[in-house]
Amino acid sequence: MIPLLSGSAAHMLDKLSWSSSANPPPIPRWGLEPYEHEPAHGFFLRLAALNGQQATPAFAMSLGLNGRNIDPQQMLQFCKQLPIPGTERLCAATPSIAKSSVYIRGEHLRLGRDWSIRHRRYCLACLNEKSFHRFWFDLPIVRVCPIHQIELASERRSMKWAWHYPLQTSDMAICKTDAALTKADPGLRFSSYILGRLGVLQPSRISLLDNLRLSEAVYLCSIIGKMLIHGWKPAESSRHESSQDQQFMEAGHNFLDENGSLSDLLERHIRESPYCVDGVFGCKDIQKNLGWWYYALYTKQYRRGLDFLMEDTNRVLEKFGACRRLRRKFPVAENEPSAREIATALGLRIDEVIQLAKWNSRIPECGLEEFEAETIKRRSSRMISAETAADVLGVSRKRFASMRSHGIFAPVIKDAGGKSGQYDRNEIEEILATIKSRVPTLSKSAGLVDFDIYRAKACCSYSKAVADVLSGAVAVDGWDITKPGLQAVLVSAPVRTRNYSGRGRLPKHPSPRIAQVL
DNA sequence: GCATTTTGTGATGTCAAGCT
DNA sequence: AGCTTGACATCACAAAATGC
């Protein structure tokens, strides 16, 4: 067992003279002096031991303190009442907690991730030197002790901070084995940096991080490390694995410590995006292009000092053609992207090329790998205007537009600025072929109507009638070869519910009787 | 230069998961 | 139990692109 109380301190201050005019301390023994880097809640631990207490929470509660949810500042106030020297050391090492923020020595940290007393953590070698709790034991981001180069041990037998549990010899054995293994650990430099910022060690200078609040510096390290280790990935599901965060932070810190170029890393990272082909995005959606990186940047809590990251990211986005608005902000890239060359060669606009590259008639999400001039050319030659497509289908422009908004087909190149979209001839012809393939060999001849009459009798839109046939909900019963396109399709008339002229608008609200029949 | 349409962006809200 | 967090939807508005 590690003694929590060094022998010399145990009997020191009980002999101290005590002014009778002041209120006596509320505990029988207080003969301890705070060490440097010792927080009030750590000091309180020794105080409890000095007073023969086994369970620190109970001891705290007996003094009117919150022993269940430890508030370091509350304990500091208590300790300051004691007639002991060196309380300024407690003040300097005791964090103050406000909502989800923790402040220690003027540095801002995040509660939970950066600072937590959920489990008791300690460096065995530190305790062997002097048995007291250092405030930085409470920082889970400090995985290894930079002074002794061993991993911090943690006690997890209690969910709450179980001060009263003594260390077991088996724990010490584990610590000793670890000590041999963690030489040259990647976490050493990171831990040293953190403790440098907190005034425990000589500060190490990393200008990029030094200008940030410590919580933001840690965040920056973790996202850089994630870029290095995790690489480009689409945005994750809401289940967040934090198990690797520590590894990320350390890797990110070491990258910056070795003067790694963040801009280069960023560009390399974004190039890994599957949406980026030959340095051009096939899709302008920033969220998609950046994957998880988007949320890393736009999560507001941590954005305060990270504007430069936003700028660098925007620069890459602009360079790869993700956002038009940024073009004026940054000069045009010196290397002409291949999309531009293809556009010039084929007489297309650059966004048309990108849309053609993105498009795949079978799997709309895929097709980005098709980004060669030949493919674009082949696809481009299949494009027809809305007018031509409407003629192929044998419908008016209005009906064509209605079918499009009904989702029966989609343009390959979207309409932009008054210019109508472009459609794939194959896809349009496929619609007709699909319907024609359903025509039975022995077609009925009586009671068949075309879409125009059908939709009026069924009181549905033309598009709905077509969609129903395509989905198989309505059977195709005949084909009039004398008519063009969809006009040739013949289906069985729905139950006749009223006289129909074959012309005119559909009634806005079909009568209940008609609706019932349908 | 104008009209129309798309795009970029922040504000706001929701939801589930995980943590205190 | 209540809070934060991350992912993401949705909205409004401004800025930019585009065709005329």
Side-chain angles (χ1 to χ4, degrees):
Chain A
M1 178 180 161
I2 298 298
L4 289 168
L5 198 63
S6 61
S8 58
H11 53 268
M12 181 184 73
L13 236 141
D14 294 347
K15 296 175 192 157
L16 198 85
S17 61
W18 177 251
S19 156
S20 56
S21 61
N23 289 331
I27 47 173
R29 292 161 70 95
W30 60 87
L32 295 173
E33 197 169 329
Y35 290 110
E36 195 171 7
H37 309 317
E38 185 174 32
H41 52 279
F43 181 74
F44 195 81
L45 173 66
R46 291 198 290 137
L47 214 53
L50 177 69
N51 285 277
Q53 295 292 321
Q54 281 296 303
T56 319
F59 180 56
M61 277 187 271
S62 73
L63 296 167
L65 301 170
N66 188 342
R68 193 173 154 79
N69 300 309
I70 287 133
D71 177 3
Q73 283 297 316
Q74 191 189 37
M75 295 212 155
L76 178 63
Q77 291 313 313
F78 173 83
C79 295
K80 275 163 88 176
Q81 295 171 16
L82 297 175
I84 50 169
T87 47
E88 72 281 352
R89 278 178 231 144
L90 291 181
C91 292
T94 303
S96 89
I97 296 160
K99 279 204 140 192
S100 60
S101 295
V102 178
Y103 295 88
I104 312 177
R105 303 206 163 167
E107 291 289 2
H108 177 266
L109 290 167
R110 210 169 97 188
L111 184 68
R113 180 195 68 178
D114 305 341
W115 185 91
S116 167
I117 50 173
R118 215 178 143 153
H119 304 295
R120 187 162 131 202
R121 299 170 78 252
Y122 50 87
C123 165
L124 194 72
C126 283
L127 291 187
N128 274 332
E129 277 175 15
K130 228 171 216 169
S131 180
F132 70 97
H133 185 83
R134 278 79 168 163
F135 75 90
W136 51 270
F137 288 175
D138 297 331
L139 306 177
I141 48 173
V142 176
R143 187 174 56 81
V144 295
C145 168
I147 303 160
H148 301 98
Q149 311 201 337
I150 63 169
E151 202 152 330
L152 293 190
S154 72
E155 228 178 302
R156 291 179 171 272
R157 271 170 299 184
S158 168
M159 292 305 283
K160 288 288 165 191
W161 204 40
W163 291 349
H164 52 288
Y165 279 121
L167 285 172
Q168 301 293 313
T169 37
S170 58
D171 293 331
M172 296 168 69
I174 292 164
C175 287
K176 278 188 181 131
T177 328
D178 283 348
L181 295 172
T182 51
K183 289 277 176 201
D185 189 282
L188 277 176
R189 276 188 285 165
F190 181 64
S191 297
S192 305
Y193 179 78
I194 301 288
L195 295 197
R197 285 279 295 250
L198 292 168
V200 179
L201 298 175
Q202 202 63 23
S204 49
R205 294 263 162 248
I206 296 178
S207 58
L208 194 59
L209 298 182
D210 290 345
N211 294 327
L212 299 173
R213 297 201 296 180
L214 190 51
S215 58
E216 286 156 0
V218 168
Y219 179 67
L220 178 61
C221 286
S222 78
I223 57 176
I224 291 174
K226 193 170 173 182
M227 265 197 271
L228 289 164
I229 296 169
H230 193 64
W232 193 97
K233 293 271 165 65
E236 295 145 30
S237 69
S238 59
R239 181 175 294 174
H240 177 243
E241 320 148 32
S242 58
S243 55
Q244 280 190 298
D245 274 1
Q246 185 69 35
Q247 201 192 342
F248 293 157
M249 283 172 205
E250 292 168 3
H253 167 269
N254 293 349
F255 176 82
L256 291 177
D257 195 26
E258 287 152 19
N259 288 318
S261 160
L262 191 48
S263 302
D264 290 354
L265 175 66
L266 189 59
E267 183 168 335
R268 206 174 69 205
H269 175 76
I270 295 175
R271 268 183 195 281
E272 280 179 31
S273 156
Y275 295 95
C276 184
V277 183
D278 292 343
V280 180
F281 286 128
C283 158
K284 293 191 180 209
D285 185 335
I286 295 184
Q287 300 185 18
K288 280 208 170 77
N289 287 325
L290 296 184
W292 65 264
W293 181 248
Y294 178 87
Y295 298 102
L297 286 183
Y298 282 80
T299 301
K300 287 180 198 89
Q301 297 90 306
Y302 314 124
R303 249 167 73 180
R304 255 182 47 169
L306 303 183
D307 286 349
F308 63 92
L309 270 184
M310 191 72 96
E311 271 195 25
D312 282 354
T313 306
N314 280 344
R315 189 171 283 114
V316 180
L317 284 175
E318 192 281 329
K319 188 172 166 187
F320 293 176
C323 35
R324 293 181 288 180
R325 280 181 66 189
L326 296 170
R327 271 182 206 165
R328 290 194 182 170
K329 216 166 158 184
F330 303 108
V332 176
E334 62 281 7
N335 297 328
E336 286 285 298
S338 65
R340 194 159 300 167
E341 289 164 13
I342 296 171
T344 319
L346 297 177
L348 295 169
R349 294 198 313 267
I350 194 159
D351 66 296
E352 289 176 336
V353 171
I354 291 170
Q355 288 186 67
L356 282 169
K358 192 185 166 192
W359 170 72
N360 179 308
S361 59
R362 306 246 169 254
I363 313 154
E365 301 81 10
C366 303
L368 288 173
E369 71 281 2
E370 310 278 354
F371 209 76
E372 323 106 34
E374 273 311 301
T375 314
I376 303 295
K377 193 175 170 185
R378 201 175 59 240
R379 289 183 174 181
S380 150
S381 69
R382 272 163 51 176
M383 292 305 120
I384 52 175
S385 69
E387 283 85 355
T388 318
D391 286 350
V392 171
L393 288 175
V395 296
S396 69
R397 279 300 311 277
K398 275 199 171 172
R399 278 195 179 157
F400 181 79
S402 149
M403 287 164 71
R404 170 184 158 175
S405 54
H406 206 275
I408 293 173
F409 49 80
V412 176
I413 297 171
K414 290 180 199 158
D415 351 22
K419 197 184 174 187
S420 73
Q422 298 275 304
Y423 299 81
D424 175 32
R425 180 180 278 277
N426 289 12
E427 188 186 349
I428 299 296
E429 286 172 349
E430 192 100 340
I431 293 169
L432 289 175
T434 306
I435 297 176
K436 201 168 182 179
S437 70
R438 302 235 179 98
V439 178
T441 33
L442 289 172
S443 61
K444 290 193 272 178
S445 50
L448 296 185
V449 295
D450 64 11
F451 276 133
D452 214 17
I453 297 176
Y454 176 87
R455 62 101 198 172
K457 289 197 173 186
C459 287
C460 67
S461 68
Y462 192 88
S463 307
K464 169 111 178 14
V466 177
D468 282 351
V469 166
L470 279 171
S471 71
V474 172
V476 192
D477 294 313
W479 192 270
D480 182 348
I481 49 164
T482 61
K483 301 269 179 64
L486 292 173
Q487 292 174 33
V489 182
L490 296 173
V491 295
S492 299
V495 178
R496 192 184 182 86
T497 54
R498 63 189 169 120
N499 289 331
Y500 171 62
S501 67
R503 290 177 200 285
R505 290 167 66 104
L506 289 165
K508 268 189 179 169
H509 304 289
S511 74
R513 200 174 62 82
I514 294 174
Q516 210 174 3
V517 170
L518 295 168

